[in-house]
Amino acid sequence: MALSDAIWFRQKAEEHNNLFRHSIPLIASENLISPITKEMIVSDLNNRYAEGLPGHRYYQGNRIVDEIETRTEQLMKTLFNSKQADVRPISGTNANQALVFALGEPGDKILSPSLDSGAHISSAEFGAVGMRGLKSSHMSFDFNEMKIDVDETRKIILSEKPKITLFGFSVFLFPAPIKELKNDLDEVGSKIWYDGAHVLGLIAGKRFQDPLREGADLITGSTHKTFPGPQHGAILGNTDDETWKKVRRGVFPGVLSNHHLGMMAGLGVTASEMLEFGETYADSVITNAKTLAQELHSLGFNVLAEKSGFTESHTILVDVKGNGGGKYVAETLEANGIILNKNMIPGDSNKKAQDPSGIRIGTQEVTRIGMGRSEMVHVANLIYSALNGKDVREDVRDLKEQFQEVKYCYGKETAYNFLQLYR
Ligand SMILES: Cc1ncc(COP(=O)(O)O)c(C=O)c1O
């Protein structure tokens, strides 16, 4: 019985692999890892513990882990041109938790975007920020342009005097106005925290804003969204030593003990690949997003932020009220092999999260498998046809069959046998 249960899992994993083999993946927070990164995850590193920092561990057996962690930090610092890097958080949320502990005390004021302007739940009252007891106020947001309203937000900064200011979105269409607000934030003595979970790969590829050069003290991020690495997190800093010490302690022992060493090594591999391929990858991700947005718009879809050019990132937000609503659209596309998510859009505050008026689309994963502008035009037309009653399953499979290899990384031939590494 037990063996048959285990085999059931293997079969299900295979079924899942096949599902994605034949689908067009457009979830804005997902990506594919490279062959060498995959090897790190199945290596013996996956089985070990390493609490603390290199040279200051609590367990034996960490000699090589220390080398790997030091090298991963170094590569991340080079990639982001940062003074500091912590590569231990095991997700973007975990990195955010570490920062709320490091930067704030219960009762401190934090300024951030509101949830309905696209912020992540970790900055909500019921998320990490609220659970730390921080008191939130929100930036003003221009829903027409889908950008932070600089003038109104400046007034809020000067009246609220937040101790921490957080820039970051789960629908991150345009760069945040850090440099525009930097002087005001300095005037009130606010630390600037940038949650780059979604756009970390675009920043690494130098095709989005450069938050540390614009004045951010710290960046947190997921390493598996536009940054095409393992499910993990990271913190990058250009801050003073005292703050950085608090960040280090916020991570460990604050919010984790062991930090998933196979993933961390995979992050090191991805960082090195991004140093080599990141700029062309990020370029293509953004070009694809713009092309897809334009084509959907031409086909009559209500792509948001038309006035601002739809997007400067990997993400597009589409109002699909006129197409049956977010739930219907996402499910109809899924039935046709096109995978994306329903999403709240401006004006949805009375709507349930399970049935919002929009969909969110990301182009990072289709870019990672080599799709370009002509495929984006094709994908837009498949979406249009599926939502107009056509069965496009075969067309989706035919298109996807041509794009099965992960690009912008060292190829399969560079990896050795996974099983040899996994004891
Ligand atoms: C802005 C933002 N921050 C943090 C996170 C959390 O990242 P993770 O899923 O790695 O915990 C997300 C996830 O989508 C996000 O959009």
Side-chain angles (χ1 to χ4, degrees):
M1 197 58 196
L3 178 61
S4 66
D5 280 345
I7 288 171
W8 180 89
F9 280 98
R10 197 166 64 192
Q11 283 166 345
K12 283 292 150 189
E14 202 175 338
E15 247 180 70
H16 177 85
N17 279 0
N18 281 329
L19 172 66
F20 274 84
R21 175 177 179 88
H22 299 304
S23 303
I24 295 173
L26 295 171
I27 302 271
S29 57
E30 297 179 353
N31 217 321
L32 296 172
I33 55 174
S34 72
I36 305 184
T37 301
K38 220 173 237 177
E39 289 194 320
M40 296 303 107
I41 294 171
V42 296
S43 74
D44 186 75
L45 288 160
N46 180 62
N47 307 320
R48 304 301 157 200
Y49 257 75
E51 293 180 343
L53 286 167
H56 305 278
R57 304 290 194 191
Y58 297 83
Y59 300 148
Q60 301 315 118
N62 287 156
R63 178 173 59 82
I64 298 163
V65 171
D66 284 5
E67 288 177 38
I68 290 174
E69 187 163 326
T70 306
R71 181 90 177 240
T72 302
E73 274 184 6
Q74 195 49 55
L75 284 164
M76 289 294 275
K77 283 196 275 190
T78 306
L79 187 58
F80 290 92
N81 190 12
S82 67
K83 187 169 140 197
Q84 298 119 342
D86 196 309
V87 295
R88 297 172 299 170
I90 57 173
S91 69
T93 302
N94 190 228
N96 288 353
Q97 289 169 326
L99 275 212
V100 297
F101 276 98
L103 299 181
E105 300 284 336
D108 284 346
K109 286 186 181 175
I110 181 166
L111 177 68
S112 63
S114 63
L115 285 187
D116 65 349
S117 61
H120 184 247
I121 45 171
S122 51
S123 65
E125 289 283 311
F126 53 85
V129 160
M131 288 178 122
R132 175 65 170 148
L134 303 183
K135 296 284 164 244
S136 290
S137 51
H138 296 302
M139 295 165 180
S140 177
F141 195 77
D142 180 333
F143 286 101
N144 231 345
E145 297 209 357
M146 295 298 288
K147 292 178 178 170
I148 291 168
D149 180 328
V150 173
D151 292 336
E152 288 303 313
T153 299
R154 177 172 292 124
K155 290 182 201 158
I156 300 170
I157 291 168
L158 297 176
S159 69
E160 287 291 323
K161 301 187 176 40
K163 182 172 174 194
I164 308 162
T165 299
L166 166 59
F167 291 99
F169 296 96
S170 296
V171 179
F172 214 147
L173 301 180
F174 301 102
I178 307 172
K179 56 180 184 303
E180 291 83 344
L181 293 169
K182 170 76 175 154
N183 283 343
D184 307 281
L185 291 166
D186 283 349
E187 192 179 319
V188 302
S190 184
K191 280 264 180 262
I192 305 178
W193 163 17
Y194 185 94
D195 180 349
H198 261 269
V199 289
L200 202 66
L202 308 181
I203 295 169
K206 302 185 172 44
R207 292 298 181 272
F208 203 59
Q209 64 190 136
D210 185 346
L212 296 177
R213 248 52 54 203
E214 291 179 28
D217 297 285
L218 293 151
I219 300 177
T220 50
S222 310
T223 56
H224 47 266
K225 295 182 164 96
T226 54
F227 195 94
Q231 291 261 353
H232 203 73
I235 304 175
L236 303 151
N238 258 1
T239 194
D240 56 277
D241 293 348
E242 198 189 325
T243 303
W244 187 247
K245 215 166 148 187
K246 287 187 193 161
V247 172
R248 290 295 214 186
R249 290 193 63 75
V251 175
F252 174 87
V255 295
L256 56 75
S257 55
N258 190 33
H259 52 283
H260 302 184
L261 308 176
M263 300 290 190
M264 181 192 66
L267 172 57
V269 171
T270 312
S272 78
E273 291 176 330
M274 284 297 279
L275 279 165
E276 183 149 348
F277 307 101
E279 295 188 21
T280 44
Y281 159 74
D283 222 24
S284 195
V285 169
I286 295 168
T287 303
N288 280 345
K290 285 174 179 286
T291 306
L292 185 55
Q294 185 56 55
E295 189 62 19
L296 286 170
H297 174 73
S298 305
L299 289 166
F301 285 98
N302 184 6
V303 184
L304 296 190
E306 182 186 358
K307 204 171 148 205
S308 321
F310 305 118
T311 186
E312 294 291 332
S313 73
H314 62 304
T315 305
I316 305 162
L317 200 56
V318 188
D319 178 341
V320 289
K321 278 199 284 290
N323 310 86
K327 180 173 154 57
Y328 169 80
V329 165
E331 288 175 1
T332 303
L333 293 177
E334 182 181 22
N336 279 283
I338 300 170
I339 312 244
L340 46 71
N341 66 284
K342 54 187 179 285
N343 215 91
M344 304 286 267
I345 56 169
D348 264 359
S349 44
N350 293 329
K351 288 254 178 193
K352 291 205 172 76
Q354 284 301 332
D355 190 18
S357 308
I359 53 169
R360 185 183 68 167
I361 301 177
T363 53
Q364 72 294 337
E365 187 172 340
V366 285
T367 304
R368 182 84 159 139
I369 52 175
M371 290 191 185
R373 294 172 73 168
S374 62
E375 285 76 30
M376 292 306 102
V377 172
H378 193 165
V379 168
N381 281 278
L382 288 170
I383 291 174
Y384 176 83
S385 297
L387 294 176
N388 281 284
K390 195 170 168 223
D391 180 346
V392 297
R393 282 177 298 178
E394 278 306 309
D395 307 274
V396 165
R397 276 176 87 103
D398 289 348
L399 172 62
K400 184 63 189 299
E401 205 46 49
Q402 303 162 49
F403 295 92
Q404 293 296 334
E405 226 175 80
V406 183
K407 310 282 188 201
Y408 306 101
C409 59
Y410 304 118
K412 270 201 185 111
E413 70 289 349
T414 55
Y416 36 81
N417 183 355
F418 295 170
L419 293 177
Q420 198 179 310
L421 272 178
Y422 191 70
R423 288 187 289 114

